[in-house]
Amino acid sequence: MKKSLLVLLLAVLLPSLVLGWLALRSAQEQQIVLERRTAELYQKETDTVATAARSLISAERRAFAETLRQMLSSEKPQQLAGHFAVSLRTAWPQPAVGFALTTEGIICSPNLHDAGSNTQVRQFLAENGSWVSGKAPATAYPVPMDELNRPELASRKTYGNAMKRGGDYGNQMLQGNQSQSAQPSKSYSDSYASKESSGDKPEIVTRNVAPQQATLSNDSQLTWATADFREFTAEGNEGVVNRFVNDKLNMIFWIRPAEARNLVFGCLLRAEDLAAQWPDLLPANGEGGGPESDFILALLNDKAQPSAVSPAGSTVPDWKKPFVATEIGEALPHWEAALYLRHPERLVASAQKVRRNLYLLISCALGAIAIGGWVVMAETRRQLTLAQKKTDFVSNVSHELKTPLTSIRMFAELMHSGRATAERQPQYLRIIMVEAERLTRLINNVLDFAGLERRQRQFEKRPFELFEMLTQIWSSHEVHLRESGFTTSWESAAPPYPVIGDEDALAQVLVNLLANAEKYGGEQKEITLRSYSEGAWVCLSVLDRGPGVPAGEEAKIFEPFYRAHDSLSSGIPGTGLGLSLARRIVQEHGGEILYQARPGGGSNFTVRLPLQTPSSSSS
Ligand code: ADP
């Protein structure tokens, strides 16, 4: 039993519990997986917007380069440099401020004289003059060269690379130049200062949005350096350098023409000058950005405020908490393409549904395993008990057979050898008869039980007078009981007790009860038979004054092979079949058999059988 329990535990329950636990864990991860997958899908949307934004800056830069090329085709660079600011204003429609300077940092154009009342030019000179001429270094974001012509390259650069690039750039750009910028950006000045104070190691700056689903680190991947304009333009022929001045993003496009390598032509364009073009970067209605779409896309400026929103006019509770976002990069530093879910609860709900179903399935499977395991265990226990009972039964039957056979043989031999006196002979013969009867009863019990078990026994039912059967059995047993030292009495209500049934089978019931009363009658040898009618029932009770059935075993004694008084401990032989057989026979006759503890000590076994009524006899 213990072994099968261990096997069940190790081979079934334990693996199922482990599987259940694994399944529960995977159910919990479902939500994360679903969210991640959705995030990856939506990240593509924001990546596209970010690429579009970089492309726009790139296109403006190319437009400036084209304008300059045309201007240089009709005029010598040195001449153009002298009035470049004025000429660019008419040649290029963008409200950009053009400038030209020598590689030594001497500004050729504009100067305060031609600026006149032009506030833009005056502002340029005041804010950027000393930086472009190399007199004051400032923090700026150079757009990487490879990104200038292929804006899609910037997306998803890894943080590690950005760090390295930032460091290298700093080393290269900042040799011996540690003074603070003349006009640092207010918002980012702290981080720039700390970057400088720590030498060439770039500080980590967190992004100004916190996407709920960050596929990369939430730290900004921007590269910046603190240097003057000349250092930013020292290498290459063209580029873009962005910087914040008075909290406003200034974009500076620059070109060193091949025909005059000692001159740098540039222009300053403010991010706000491109305001009209921002909405074009987002999908229009019907291209995934319509009012029915599941999400809202926004281009956020460096203050995390929307510069453009699709669908137009949409709002969200907190612009700083998008579902996913992509940093635009150095082309628009600290700007973000952000996506907000319209119904974030739907994502959670669908994940919860998947999880709920999984929980349900797992619980059902575990429940089935537990119930199955319990049933198997109960059945195993039942089979083991039955096997134990059958083993006991075999040894009991052998013992039961051996005792009467020994007596019969002994007394028969005595008589056969002529050693038995004539007076003793009738007594010996009676002993042989009683023992033979005992054998018959035992064999009958075993055969009848086997027949009933296989449903082979057929009862031959017919009407008969129960009182007559009682008289017959009682008279044959009373003599034997008296001889064995029992006090016997039969208390009977007046007959008749007509019943319908198998007379032999019912006689067997009474014989079994009397035999039990004799076996378990104890010291106070007293047996009473009562017969009486009770309404439509006739009742037979066999009473003794023995120890009775131990408490709690009253129902079990009617089970096959069950013995409350074990042969070994009590010394009383038996097979455990008598009462179970009696109950089957009585039930087959529509009656019942009951045990009651007898007041004053002893047992009271009562058989109740239906009396034959006129209607039952006619049928
Ligand atoms: P057995 O062959 O063991 O007598 P039975 O089916 O006749 O088998 O009885 C089942 C058990 O019921 C007995 O083992 C005994 O413990 C208990 N029993 C039966 N009759 C009596 C009785 N008159 N007094 C006390 N216990 C009894």
Side-chain angles (χ1 to χ4, degrees):
M1 186 67 190
K2 268 187 192 155
K3 210 169 146 193
S4 52
L5 193 78
L6 201 74
V7 169
L8 191 80
L9 202 79
L10 289 179
V12 181
L13 283 180
L14 212 67
S16 352
L17 282 177
V18 172
L19 281 177
W21 178 71
L22 284 176
L24 282 179
R25 257 188 51 164
S26 87
Q28 274 163 357
E29 280 164 13
Q30 276 294 316
Q31 184 166 356
I32 301 167
V33 172
L34 195 79
E35 280 180 8
R36 200 168 291 163
R37 227 178 273 155
T38 318
E40 278 168 10
L41 202 76
Y42 286 147
Q43 189 85 49
K44 289 202 180 87
E45 299 279 342
T46 54
D47 284 354
T48 310
V49 175
T51 306
R54 285 191 293 270
S55 302
L56 175 68
I57 307 300
S58 223
E60 293 300 331
R61 187 191 63 81
R62 279 199 302 278
F64 166 68
E66 181 54 28
T67 312
L68 179 67
R69 202 181 52 75
Q70 280 174 10
M71 291 163 92
L72 284 173
S73 64
S74 56
E75 201 173 0
K76 282 207 159 36
Q78 284 75 11
Q79 277 177 348
L80 180 65
H83 57 86
F84 183 61
V86 183
S87 303
L88 186 72
R89 235 178 286 157
T90 47
W92 198 32
Q94 286 293 7
V97 179
F99 64 90
L101 54 115
T102 65
T103 41
E104 285 81 41
I106 300 161
I107 299 176
C108 311
S109 165
N111 53 47
L112 278 175
H113 177 68
D114 11 284
S117 59
N118 189 322
T119 47
Q120 266 190 320
V121 175
R122 281 176 173 278
Q123 202 177 349
F124 167 77
L125 287 171
E127 291 177 347
N128 291 295
S130 50
W131 178 64
V132 292
S133 59
K135 290 189 193 107
T139 300
Y141 301 82
V143 179
M145 282 306 287
D146 54 355
E147 205 182 294
L148 281 179
N149 295 315
R150 297 182 62 194
E152 73 281 2
L153 284 182
S155 58
R156 309 289 181 104
K157 57 194 171 194
T158 64
Y159 188 71
N161 283 345
M163 283 274 280
K164 193 158 175 287
R165 207 171 54 184
D168 289 345
Y169 206 102
N171 276 341
Q172 185 189 322
M173 304 297 290
L174 296 169
Q175 294 148 357
N177 202 348
Q178 298 291 312
S179 63
Q180 175 58 300
S181 151
Q183 302 99 354
S185 145
K186 266 188 272 159
S187 318
Y188 308 110
S189 55
D190 284 354
S191 57
Y192 299 157
S194 56
K195 174 180 181 284
E196 283 195 19
S197 60
S198 64
D200 58 359
K201 233 174 160 197
E203 271 302 308
I204 294 171
V205 174
T206 47
R207 293 162 67 178
N208 46 15
V209 294
Q212 291 155 29
Q213 293 290 319
T215 44
L216 289 170
S217 154
N218 211 30
D219 297 330
S220 170
Q221 296 176 37
L222 292 172
T223 308
W224 69 91
T226 303
D228 65 45
F229 183 66
R230 281 194 305 156
E231 286 167 311
F232 282 113
T233 55
E235 284 188 357
N237 297 327
E238 57 186 323
V240 177
V241 183
N242 290 328
R243 65 182 290 234
F244 288 92
V245 182
N246 292 334
D247 232 4
K248 290 209 160 69
L249 178 59
N250 290 358
M251 293 181 281
I252 291 146
F253 304 157
W254 62 270
I255 293 174
R256 193 200 316 276
E259 48 271 60
R261 303 287 301 152
N262 62 333
L263 285 176
V264 173
F265 289 88
C267 79
L268 181 146
L269 199 63
R270 286 166 182 245
E272 62 198 43
D273 296 334
L274 299 174
Q277 295 170 61
W278 298 139
D280 301 340
L281 304 178
L282 301 176
N285 282 3
E287 293 171 24
E292 286 89 39
S293 78
D294 290 341
F295 55 83
I296 294 165
L297 263 174
L299 180 71
L300 302 181
N301 64 17
D302 53 282
K303 290 164 197 76
Q305 286 307 309
S307 295
V309 183
S310 168
S314 307
T315 53
V316 299
D318 188 352
W319 291 107
K320 289 193 171 189
K321 289 202 178 124
F323 182 63
V324 286
T326 305
E327 213 174 11
I328 310 290
E330 290 79 9
L332 283 171
H334 300 288
W335 283 49
E336 299 265 354
L339 183 144
Y340 306 81
L341 292 183
R342 265 185 206 278
H343 309 285
E345 69 287 348
R346 277 191 201 159
L347 193 66
V348 180
S350 70
Q352 269 174 353
K353 198 173 155 197
V354 172
R355 213 164 47 182
R356 224 186 1 251
N357 288 348
L358 256 168
Y359 275 138
L360 205 75
L361 260 171
I362 294 162
S363 318
C364 287
L366 283 181
I369 289 168
I371 293 172
W374 182 79
V375 170
V376 168
M377 282 309 297
E379 182 56 24
T380 313
R381 201 182 347 205
R382 207 182 68 83
Q383 292 294 340
L384 283 175
T385 320
L386 199 68
Q388 181 64 46
K389 277 188 197 164
K390 282 183 179 167
T391 314
D392 291 353
F393 168 73
V394 172
S395 69
N396 286 341
V397 166
S398 323
H399 185 72
E400 282 268 284
L401 287 174
K402 212 171 138 194
T403 321
L405 269 177
T406 314
S407 309
I408 291 171
R409 202 172 138 193
M410 193 181 81
F411 288 108
E413 272 175 9
L414 269 177
M415 289 176 67
H416 180 254
S417 63
R419 278 185 283 146
T421 55
E423 306 88 71
R424 289 272 181 190
Q425 277 189 13
Q427 188 195 346
Y428 290 172
L429 276 174
R430 217 183 45 256
I431 292 175
I432 290 173
M433 264 170 58
V434 168
E435 291 300 329
E437 250 171 48
R438 202 168 132 190
L439 264 182
T440 314
R441 196 176 65 238
L442 173 74
I443 290 164
N444 277 349
N445 274 352
V446 174
L447 289 179
D448 288 350
F449 177 76
L452 277 174
E453 276 291 284
R454 287 194 227 111
R455 306 202 173 275
Q456 278 173 352
R457 177 156 182 187
Q458 295 292 324
F459 292 105
E460 284 169 23
K461 292 185 185 170
R462 60 177 183 83
F464 70 95
E465 177 49 54
L466 191 70
F467 188 78
E468 280 170 20
M469 189 266 272
L470 291 181
T471 315
Q472 208 180 342
I473 295 199
W474 181 249
S475 57
S476 66
H477 277 75
E478 196 183 20
V479 185
H480 163 70
L481 289 172
R482 288 234 169 107
E483 276 181 0
S484 306
F486 278 87
T487 318
T488 56
S489 58
W490 179 13
E491 299 161 8
S492 175
Y497 310 138
V499 291
I500 299 177
D502 187 320
E503 198 171 343
D504 288 346
L506 290 172
Q508 197 180 355
V509 172
L510 185 62
V511 168
N512 281 351
L513 291 181
L514 286 171
N516 278 353
E518 182 187 352
K519 276 199 288 185
Y520 305 105
E523 300 291 307
Q524 205 180 325
K525 297 185 163 194
E526 185 195 309
I527 293 179
T528 308
L529 173 68
R530 280 188 196 146
S531 51
Y532 52 95
S533 57
E534 216 175 54
W537 302 90
V538 55
C539 303
L540 317 174
S541 296
V542 178
L543 304 102
D544 62 55
R545 284 284 176 205
V549 175
E553 307 200 19
E554 294 86 346
K556 289 185 191 163
I557 54 173
F558 293 100
E559 291 171 13
F561 309 115
Y562 191 85
R563 301 206 65 215
H565 298 87
D566 180 38
S567 306
L568 285 178
S569 51
S570 67
I572 305 171
T575 55
L577 286 183
L579 286 181
S580 84
L581 196 66
R583 188 174 65 173
R584 291 251 189 129
I585 293 171
V586 173
Q587 281 174 349
E588 285 289 330
H589 285 78
E592 57 182 355
I593 181 165
L594 308 163
Y595 166 78
Q596 281 172 311
R598 189 178 178 190
S603 308
N604 176 359
F605 285 91
T606 303
V607 174
R608 282 157 57 87
L609 290 169
L611 272 174
Q612 185 196 2
T613 56
S615 62
S616 60
S617 65
S618 63
S619 64

